[in-house]
Amino acid sequence: TSSMVDDCFYIVKKCISRALSSSNIDCLCAMINHANIALESDFREVLLNKLRQGFPATTLQDIQRGVSSAVSLMQSSLQQGKFNTLGIESTENAKAAFLVTLNNVEACSENITTLKRNLENDCSKLFSQGAAAGEQAKIESCLSDLVNTSAKFKDLLQEGLSELNTTAVKPQVKPWISSFLSISHNIEEEEFNDYEANDPWVQQLIVNLEQLMGEFKVALSPVIYDTLTGLMTSLISMEMEKTALKCSFSRLGGLQFDELRSLVAYLTTVTTWTIRDKFARLTQMATILNLERVTEILDYWGPNSGPLTWRLTPAEVRQVLARIDFRSEDIKRLRL
């Protein structure tokens, strides 16, 4: 975070503390209201404007444009006998400023919650006996306004995270998932053994994800980083579902698809969120692709499903069953 959060909340707490020491409820409520308005409007507006400047885009095209412009900048600077990296630095500074602002927003929300809790304790001690019912209601009303302000900072945090996910995560992750289509899934024994020894896709995806999220892990608070990772895993599972349904699998290609479990295992280690539920549909796709015959699905479906709750519709099950070595007539005859 930047120092603005500590500085502003130091002033807010100091002013409310002085009002509290007057032992006058009207004075205290006036100061709490005044501080709350300053936080909700002035302070939040500053953070909102910083976030609305956006996180510099980092798609492959943007990187290529950035490299091209950096080369031009270097050539121009060298011709003039000086080296100017202002363009590169300004982008990095804009990224850092956006991430720091996200941390500031989260810290503000937490600070307001803490301020409200501490004021509740202080007021209960100071006015435990002397406060009339109406005065007590005044204090409670002021404190409830602080709760609403804290919630507005949380909403702003979600808005900033959505921007970060849209600008920095989605443009990178979607092409990585789409590259799954360029790998053959109609494979024989020799190719399957080669895939086993030299994973064609999952391990590289994991490396890419680690590099992408490494920058954010260092710069963001643990809570915000964890939330961003949650957004990323939702994106991965959604894109993987769409991509897998476009592929044609052989028996061994379906067996290779089970490598998806290593991706799920990796994502489980980088977030505190429970993510297996997000990949339930993909896991069920992998199960279907590993069947030895079409009718084997009935051993897992309907009354035979046991504790398993199917997330795939009958139409989706038939779509996944459309393996190269399965006859379409057999799939159509299934009663699901």
Side-chain angles (χ1 to χ4, degrees):
T1 56
S2 64
S3 61
M4 68 183 294
V5 176
D6 286 342
D7 291 346
C8 290
F9 275 91
Y10 173 79
I11 294 168
V12 166
K13 286 186 281 188
K14 193 75 172 174
C15 293
I16 292 177
S17 177
R18 285 176 177 172
L20 186 66
S21 68
S22 72
S23 299
N24 183 294
I25 289 178
D26 287 336
C27 175
L28 174 62
C29 288
M31 183 52 72
I32 293 174
N33 287 337
H34 181 58
N36 192 46
I37 290 168
L39 291 170
E40 181 187 350
S41 56
D42 300 335
F43 193 24
R44 186 177 176 276
E45 189 69 24
V46 170
L47 297 173
L48 174 63
N49 289 335
K50 285 178 179 288
L51 289 180
R52 284 192 173 164
Q53 290 174 20
F55 187 85
T58 51
T59 62
L60 183 59
Q61 291 79 7
D62 290 314
I63 291 168
Q64 288 169 341
R65 279 198 296 269
V67 170
S68 174
S69 111
V71 170
S72 301
L73 183 66
M74 286 166 63
Q75 288 172 342
S76 170
S77 299
L78 287 170
Q79 285 169 2
Q80 297 169 19
K82 60 182 180 180
F83 186 68
N84 184 357
T85 59
L86 186 60
I88 301 167
E89 287 177 359
S90 63
T91 300
E92 291 306 310
N93 289 342
K95 286 183 179 181
F98 187 92
L99 300 179
V100 166
T101 303
L102 278 183
N103 291 335
N104 284 346
V105 172
E106 189 215 357
C108 288
S109 178
E110 293 302 315
N111 283 355
I112 294 169
T113 301
T114 303
L115 177 64
K116 185 248 184 188
R117 185 170 58 247
N118 291 341
L119 279 171
E120 280 178 330
N121 293 332
D122 292 339
C123 290
S124 65
K125 292 174 187 174
L126 192 61
F127 305 116
S128 56
Q129 296 175 347
E135 292 176 325
Q136 191 66 38
K138 274 186 190 178
I139 295 172
E140 288 173 1
S141 175
C142 291
L143 296 179
S144 68
D145 287 342
L146 286 173
V147 175
N148 295 334
T149 300
S150 177
K152 287 180 180 179
F153 276 91
K154 285 181 180 175
D155 291 342
L156 181 57
L157 177 60
Q158 290 306 313
E159 186 181 321
L161 270 169
S162 178
E163 158 70 15
L164 186 60
N165 185 47
T166 300
T167 309
V169 177
K170 277 185 181 179
Q172 302 273 33
V173 170
K174 289 178 81 169
W176 294 337
I177 302 294
S178 296
S179 67
F180 187 73
L181 289 168
S182 64
I183 299 164
S184 174
H185 307 287
N186 179 17
I187 56 175
E188 301 299 331
E189 193 75 37
E190 184 179 344
E191 292 167 301
F192 178 75
N193 291 334
D194 182 50
Y195 280 9
E196 286 280 280
N198 306 293
D199 182 88
W201 183 77
V202 170
Q203 293 307 318
Q204 185 57 52
L205 174 63
I206 290 172
V207 169
N208 290 339
L209 293 174
E210 282 215 304
Q211 289 176 344
L212 172 66
M213 299 304 287
E215 175 187 358
F216 302 126
K217 188 171 186 178
V218 173
L220 293 172
S221 76
V223 171
I224 300 177
Y225 174 75
D226 207 38
T227 306
L228 183 64
T229 306
L231 292 172
M232 182 187 71
T233 54
S234 296
L235 173 67
I236 291 170
S237 63
M238 184 175 64
E239 291 299 317
M240 270 303 302
E241 283 178 30
K242 291 191 289 188
T243 303
L245 289 172
K246 295 176 185 176
C247 297
S248 298
F249 293 90
S250 63
R251 168 77 178 91
L252 290 173
L255 193 60
Q256 174 62 28
F257 184 71
D258 208 38
E259 278 293 296
L260 177 78
R261 295 181 195 278
S262 61
L263 174 62
V264 177
Y266 161 72
L267 292 172
T268 302
T269 65
V270 298
T271 179
T272 60
W273 296 74
T274 302
I275 67 164
R276 293 194 179 276
D277 190 58
K278 293 180 182 180
F279 286 87
R281 283 169 54 85
L282 276 168
T283 303
Q284 290 174 5
M285 286 183 187
T287 299
I288 294 170
L289 287 170
N290 276 278
L291 300 178
E292 293 191 10
R293 59 186 185 282
V294 171
T295 54
E296 199 178 338
I297 184 64
L298 299 175
D299 295 339
Y300 301 91
W301 192 263
N304 298 322
S305 63
L308 174 66
T309 302
W310 278 93
R311 305 293 183 88
L312 301 174
T313 65
E316 288 170 332
V317 169
R318 287 189 171 88
Q319 191 176 356
V320 178
L321 271 171
R323 248 176 34 199
I324 292 165
D325 53 321
F326 284 164
R327 296 194 313 165
S328 59
E329 296 82 5
D330 295 337
I331 297 171
K332 286 177 184 176
R333 274 200 294 269
L334 282 174
R335 292 189 177 185
L336 297 175

